[in-house]
Amino acid sequence: MNILNLFKVSLKAVGSNKMRSFLSMLGIIIGVAAVIIMMAIGQGSKESIRAELSTMGTNLLTIRPGADMRGGVRQDPSAMQTLKMADYERIMREKKFVTNVSPEVTSSGQVIYGNNNTNTTVYGESPEYLDIKLWQVEQGECFTEEDIKKAAKKVVIGTTIVSELFGDGVDPIGKTIRFKSIPMTVIGVLKSKGYNNWGMDQDNVMIAPYTTVMKRIAAQTWFSSIVCSAVTEELSDAAIEELTQILRDNHKLRDDAADDFTIRSQAEMMETMSSTMDTVTIILVVAAAFSLLVAGIGIMNIMLVSVTERTKEIGLRMAVGATGPVISLQFLIEAVLISVTGGLLGIVVGCSASEWVVPAFGMPSSVPAWSIYISFLVCVFLGVLFGYIPAQKAANMDPIEAIRHE
């Protein structure tokens, strides 16, 4: 009997017990759909995080003071004063793999206009900061280098600040607001970025000249950090090496001395987040894959019952010349048919749910093509694996005993 005839016989056998075959497929459908949905959520979350980080610049580099040990106690990096104006000036003079540089000083507190107030953070930056972090001024203008020199009390604010202090329909340009009793004139409004993946409002922000924040608000002579952008994302490592050498020389650190600063790249953060999401995705997929294992055992159970019910049929086939391998192949085909059909239906259900249901719950979703291919191959493997024992049982029957079976 050729393969085509065996396929027709197997298809007829599966079709003659529609309900039992469907129930056997149901486990596969649920298992495959669950695996695809978990992969889609994991992939979607990873892409969403990468897109979120990309809005801050894929070639972003951040220099922060390094935490040292004093009396056996690890110091808070924010309390250290290792980043000074001399570091910023030398970076500006000697940079080759870095384009934009902005020293950063931050202060959190209450901003007030009239009877309205809200809590926010003011960032003391240079004008290049907007290019580094990919901010756009939607209304008004940004402060200038002249404002930096004069420590001008000017500020660019986010749309959340506009909404909280001024309300709708009010032009904030030229208005004077107060931050920690310091009056500051609004000269620009940033284009909205909305909330990020961590639930933080990116528009609740104020950006002022760094000299203004250092002298008038924070009253300090050091920087909280220095943010830079590498020439390209690919040259981030070269830029880190360059910045490291400049700062070590400027801080007069010996060769065996540890850095008193840390440099982190956006690419490094992306890789860390991607690795974390990959681990979470693997855990979710493994949990979902257990349902496929249970479904495979269900197929084997159904096939064993089918072999027992069709014992006389098997004996008659052997009596008219069917060999053991042919009988075995017939039942293997039946098992694979059930498994693959269930897998295809599971792929349809999983893709549909990932496309329509998952986003409805506010979760990012992106079905990777390879997850569909892997799911299909797993279904074929399950059909062969769990159909092998019933097929061998049918192939090893004694034809005379099988015909006499009642």
Side-chain angles (χ1 to χ4, degrees), residues 22 25 29 33 340-350:
F22 175 74
M25 295 175 190
I29 295 172
V340 170
T341 304
L344 292 174
L345 292 174
I347 289 172
V348 173
V349 172

Side-chain angles (χ1 to χ4, degrees), residues 85-98:
M85 181 66 73
D87 298 319
Y88 168 59
E89 291 174 346
R90 185 165 179 180
I91 291 173
M92 291 296 292
R93 287 196 309 268
E94 301 181 10
K95 61 184 176 66
K96 295 179 181 178
F97 298 105
V98 173

